Amino acid sequence: MSFEFIKKLPIPAEIREQYPVPPALAALKEERDEEIKKVITGESDKFLVIIGPCSADNEDAVCDYVTRLAKVNEKVKDRLILIPRIYTNKPRTTGEGYKGILHQPDPEKKPDFLAGLIAMRKMHIRAIAESGLTAADEMLYPENWRYVQDILSYVAIGARSVEDQQHRLTVSGFDVPAGMKNPTSGDFSIMLNSVFAAQHPHSFIYRGWEVNTTGNPLAHTVLRGSVNKYGRSLPNYHYEDLNSLLEMYNKMDLMNPATIIDANHNNSNKQFEQQIRIVKEVMHSRKLNKDIHKLVKGVMIESYLMEGCQKIGDGVYGKSITDPCLGWEDSERLIYDIADYE
């Protein structure tokens, strides 16, 4: 056989029991969830800033970053809601490279999934305890949702996952906002169909069980740019793109029309420093058009303690080992600039 079965992993309930969320943090998460939910539904006019490392590769550096973010949050919380990116799974275009802390708790060692599940929970729980901020993560593997369902306040579905049936159906069982990114082709209709699927109830097989879901009205779109047939990046954050998305939303029977703009990836052509300009253009577009202002609920920004990126093993504290990120000083300044727009 082509599969080598290494070891059976603990079920999610066992991991959650061994590494539980303390009651005080669970209550804090409930408050944060409600606050973020109200932005998506339009009950709150606060603006979401989902910001943090491309991949959460080091617990100490990530918690250092999130603790700094919490201090900034205190200064802008009347206008913004800061949601730290603690992305523990990293999709790879070719399948090669570091795939996140779930795979490799130590990026310089071989994969260890049991240790990765534990490291993932410990890092998220520590970050909440030290900062008071609950985080966002990407759902790369739908079957892993129940390992983190009690610690996340926001989930992103990536460009390569958004067309996948199991991702869409699993999101329909979430009770937190889920951002469905446009596929790498850039097709808005595929993204909106994914939102439609996620917002409706389904019956399917999940982790060996027959399950029913009720639908997730908080599922929404995320614009992250696209790639044409020649491999060139095409941005989709401009005023005209937002207007087109708004028109398409208006033609579909979707709850809580909302979009988040991912300022990196193909929107920036992975030129991380361009995120500053892109975010400011998005904020300007919101000022120009009240309907776009209502539709665009937030931005995603890749940011870490040190700007740029490094190779695995270089050992620079707080510097990305995957995609390059904004450094802390530029990130902090950008958050204050976003708050000023609001």
Side-chain angles (χ1 to χ4, degrees), residues 289-316:
N289 184 319
K290 62 180 176 56
D291 293 325
I292 288 177
H293 188 279
K294 186 177 179 181
L295 177 70
V296 178
K297 305 290 189 182
V299 290
M300 290 181 175
I301 300 164
E302 291 195 322
S303 154
Y304 212 174
L305 298 176
M306 303 291 291
E307 75 170 24
C309 62
Q310 62 180 325
K311 293 180 180 178
I312 293 174
D314 284 357
V316 180

Short mmCIF file of all heavy atoms in Angstrom, two decimals, residues 289-316:
data_model
loop_
_atom_site.label_atom_id
_atom_site.label_comp_id
_atom_site.label_asym_id
_atom_site.label_seq_id
_atom_site.Cartn_x
_atom_site.Cartn_y
_atom_site.Cartn_z
N ASN A 289 -17.60 56.06 -1.06
CA ASN A 289 -18.85 55.42 -1.40
C ASN A 289 -19.45 54.76 -0.16
O ASN A 289 -18.84 53.86 0.42
CB ASN A 289 -18.59 54.36 -2.50
CG ASN A 289 -19.83 53.70 -3.01
OD1 ASN A 289 -20.74 53.36 -2.26
ND2 ASN A 289 -19.88 53.49 -4.33
N LYS A 290 -20.64 55.22 0.23
CA LYS A 290 -21.24 54.71 1.48
C LYS A 290 -21.58 53.22 1.39
O LYS A 290 -21.54 52.50 2.39
CB LYS A 290 -22.48 55.51 1.84
CG LYS A 290 -23.62 55.46 0.85
CD LYS A 290 -24.80 56.29 1.33
CE LYS A 290 -25.92 56.35 0.29
NZ LYS A 290 -26.42 55.04 -0.12
N ASP A 291 -21.89 52.73 0.16
CA ASP A 291 -22.20 51.31 0.01
C ASP A 291 -20.94 50.45 0.14
O ASP A 291 -20.97 49.36 0.71
CB ASP A 291 -22.88 51.05 -1.33
CG ASP A 291 -24.27 51.68 -1.40
OD1 ASP A 291 -24.96 51.70 -0.35
OD2 ASP A 291 -24.65 52.16 -2.47
N ILE A 292 -19.82 50.95 -0.42
CA ILE A 292 -18.54 50.26 -0.25
C ILE A 292 -18.11 50.32 1.21
O ILE A 292 -17.59 49.34 1.76
CB ILE A 292 -17.47 50.85 -1.18
CG1 ILE A 292 -17.78 50.45 -2.64
CG2 ILE A 292 -16.07 50.41 -0.79
CD1 ILE A 292 -16.83 51.03 -3.66
N HIS A 293 -18.36 51.45 1.85
CA HIS A 293 -18.04 51.58 3.28
C HIS A 293 -18.77 50.51 4.09
O HIS A 293 -18.20 49.91 5.01
CB HIS A 293 -18.44 52.98 3.76
CG HIS A 293 -17.99 53.31 5.14
ND1 HIS A 293 -18.66 52.88 6.27
CD2 HIS A 293 -16.92 54.03 5.58
CE1 HIS A 293 -18.03 53.32 7.35
NE2 HIS A 293 -16.97 54.02 6.96
N LYS A 294 -20.01 50.27 3.73
CA LYS A 294 -20.81 49.27 4.43
C LYS A 294 -20.34 47.85 4.12
O LYS A 294 -20.38 46.97 4.98
CB LYS A 294 -22.27 49.45 4.03
CG LYS A 294 -23.24 48.57 4.80
CD LYS A 294 -24.68 48.86 4.38
CE LYS A 294 -25.66 47.95 5.12
NZ LYS A 294 -27.06 48.21 4.69
N LEU A 295 -19.90 47.61 2.88
CA LEU A 295 -19.50 46.27 2.45
C LEU A 295 -18.15 45.86 3.02
O LEU A 295 -17.98 44.73 3.49
CB LEU A 295 -19.43 46.21 0.92
CG LEU A 295 -18.95 44.89 0.31
CD1 LEU A 295 -20.00 43.80 0.52
CD2 LEU A 295 -18.63 45.07 -1.17
N VAL A 296 -17.16 46.76 2.97
CA VAL A 296 -15.79 46.42 3.38
C VAL A 296 -15.68 46.52 4.90
O VAL A 296 -15.70 47.62 5.47
CB VAL A 296 -14.75 47.33 2.69
CG1 VAL A 296 -13.34 46.98 3.17
CG2 VAL A 296 -14.85 47.20 1.17
N LYS A 297 -15.55 45.37 5.55
CA LYS A 297 -15.58 45.31 7.01
C LYS A 297 -14.20 45.26 7.65
O LYS A 297 -14.09 45.33 8.87
CB LYS A 297 -16.35 44.06 7.46
CG LYS A 297 -17.76 43.95 6.91
CD LYS A 297 -18.69 44.98 7.48
CE LYS A 297 -20.14 44.68 7.07
NZ LYS A 297 -21.07 45.71 7.59
N GLY A 298 -13.15 45.08 6.82
CA GLY A 298 -11.83 44.99 7.44
C GLY A 298 -10.74 44.70 6.42
O GLY A 298 -10.99 44.59 5.22
N VAL A 299 -9.53 44.56 6.94
CA VAL A 299 -8.36 44.24 6.13
C VAL A 299 -7.55 43.14 6.80
O VAL A 299 -7.63 42.95 8.02
CB VAL A 299 -7.45 45.48 5.90
CG1 VAL A 299 -8.13 46.49 4.99
CG2 VAL A 299 -7.05 46.12 7.23
N MET A 300 -6.79 42.42 5.98
CA MET A 300 -5.82 41.44 6.46
C MET A 300 -4.42 41.94 6.11
O MET A 300 -4.19 42.37 4.97
CB MET A 300 -6.04 40.08 5.81
CG MET A 300 -7.28 39.35 6.23
SD MET A 300 -7.39 37.74 5.41
CE MET A 300 -8.84 37.07 6.22
N ILE A 301 -3.51 41.86 7.08
CA ILE A 301 -2.15 42.37 6.89
C ILE A 301 -1.16 41.34 7.43
O ILE A 301 -1.35 40.82 8.55
CB ILE A 301 -1.97 43.71 7.65
CG1 ILE A 301 -2.97 44.76 7.13
CG2 ILE A 301 -0.54 44.22 7.52
CD1 ILE A 301 -3.13 45.96 8.06
N GLU A 302 -0.11 41.06 6.68
CA GLU A 302 0.95 40.16 7.16
C GLU A 302 2.05 41.00 7.78
O GLU A 302 2.66 41.86 7.12
CB GLU A 302 1.47 39.30 6.01
CG GLU A 302 0.42 38.29 5.56
CD GLU A 302 0.98 37.18 4.70
OE1 GLU A 302 1.88 37.44 3.87
OE2 GLU A 302 0.52 36.03 4.85
N SER A 303 2.31 40.74 9.05
CA SER A 303 3.18 41.59 9.86
C SER A 303 3.82 40.75 10.95
O SER A 303 3.20 39.82 11.47
CB SER A 303 2.29 42.70 10.46
OG SER A 303 2.82 43.20 11.66
N TYR A 304 5.07 41.10 11.29
CA TYR A 304 5.77 40.37 12.35
C TYR A 304 6.67 41.36 13.08
O TYR A 304 6.63 42.57 12.82
CB TYR A 304 6.55 39.21 11.75
CG TYR A 304 6.69 37.96 12.61
CD1 TYR A 304 7.29 36.82 12.09
CD2 TYR A 304 6.25 37.92 13.93
CE1 TYR A 304 7.42 35.67 12.84
CE2 TYR A 304 6.38 36.77 14.69
CZ TYR A 304 6.96 35.64 14.14
OH TYR A 304 7.11 34.50 14.89
N LEU A 305 7.49 40.89 13.97
CA LEU A 305 8.36 41.79 14.73
C LEU A 305 9.43 42.41 13.84
O LEU A 305 9.76 43.60 13.98
CB LEU A 305 9.01 41.03 15.88
CG LEU A 305 8.05 40.44 16.93
CD1 LEU A 305 8.82 39.63 17.96
CD2 LEU A 305 7.22 41.52 17.59
N MET A 306 9.99 41.61 12.93
CA MET A 306 11.03 42.08 12.01
C MET A 306 10.50 42.01 10.58
O MET A 306 9.80 41.07 10.22
CB MET A 306 12.29 41.21 12.14
CG MET A 306 12.86 41.14 13.54
SD MET A 306 13.57 42.72 14.09
CE MET A 306 14.99 42.82 13.00
N GLU A 307 10.84 43.00 9.77
CA GLU A 307 10.31 43.00 8.41
C GLU A 307 11.05 42.01 7.51
O GLU A 307 12.18 41.59 7.80
CB GLU A 307 10.40 44.40 7.80
CG GLU A 307 11.76 44.86 7.37
CD GLU A 307 11.71 46.15 6.54
OE1 GLU A 307 10.73 46.92 6.67
OE2 GLU A 307 12.65 46.39 5.78
N GLY A 308 10.37 41.62 6.43
CA GLY A 308 10.97 40.71 5.46
C GLY A 308 10.78 39.26 5.85
O GLY A 308 9.84 38.89 6.54
N CYS A 309 11.71 38.42 5.39
CA CYS A 309 11.66 37.00 5.72
C CYS A 309 13.08 36.45 5.78
O CYS A 309 14.04 37.12 5.38
CB CYS A 309 10.81 36.22 4.71
SG CYS A 309 11.44 36.25 3.02
N GLN A 310 13.19 35.24 6.25
CA GLN A 310 14.49 34.58 6.39
C GLN A 310 14.35 33.11 6.04
O GLN A 310 13.24 32.57 5.97
CB GLN A 310 15.01 34.72 7.82
CG GLN A 310 14.11 34.03 8.85
CD GLN A 310 14.60 34.16 10.27
OE1 GLN A 310 15.80 34.16 10.54
NE2 GLN A 310 13.65 34.27 11.21
N LYS A 311 15.46 32.45 5.84
CA LYS A 311 15.45 31.01 5.62
C LYS A 311 15.36 30.29 6.97
O LYS A 311 15.81 30.81 7.99
CB LYS A 311 16.72 30.57 4.89
CG LYS A 311 16.82 31.09 3.46
CD LYS A 311 18.11 30.63 2.80
CE LYS A 311 18.21 31.14 1.38
NZ LYS A 311 19.49 30.72 0.73
N ILE A 312 14.77 29.10 6.95
CA ILE A 312 14.73 28.28 8.16
C ILE A 312 16.16 28.02 8.64
O ILE A 312 17.03 27.65 7.85
CB ILE A 312 14.01 26.96 7.89
CG1 ILE A 312 12.53 27.22 7.60
CG2 ILE A 312 14.15 25.99 9.07
CD1 ILE A 312 11.77 25.99 7.18
N GLY A 313 16.39 28.27 9.91
CA GLY A 313 17.73 28.05 10.46
C GLY A 313 18.54 29.32 10.63
O GLY A 313 19.58 29.31 11.30
N ASP A 314 18.07 30.44 10.02
CA ASP A 314 18.82 31.70 10.17
C ASP A 314 18.74 32.23 11.59
O ASP A 314 19.63 32.96 12.04
CB ASP A 314 18.30 32.75 9.18
CG ASP A 314 18.78 32.50 7.75
OD1 ASP A 314 19.56 31.55 7.55
OD2 ASP A 314 18.36 33.25 6.85
N GLY A 315 17.64 31.94 12.29
CA GLY A 315 17.56 32.23 13.71
C GLY A 315 17.28 33.66 14.11
O GLY A 315 17.54 34.04 15.24
N VAL A 316 16.72 34.47 13.19
CA VAL A 316 16.38 35.85 13.55
C VAL A 316 15.03 35.85 14.27
O VAL A 316 14.02 35.45 13.70
CB VAL A 316 16.33 36.76 12.31
CG1 VAL A 316 15.96 38.19 12.72
CG2 VAL A 316 17.66 36.75 11.58
#
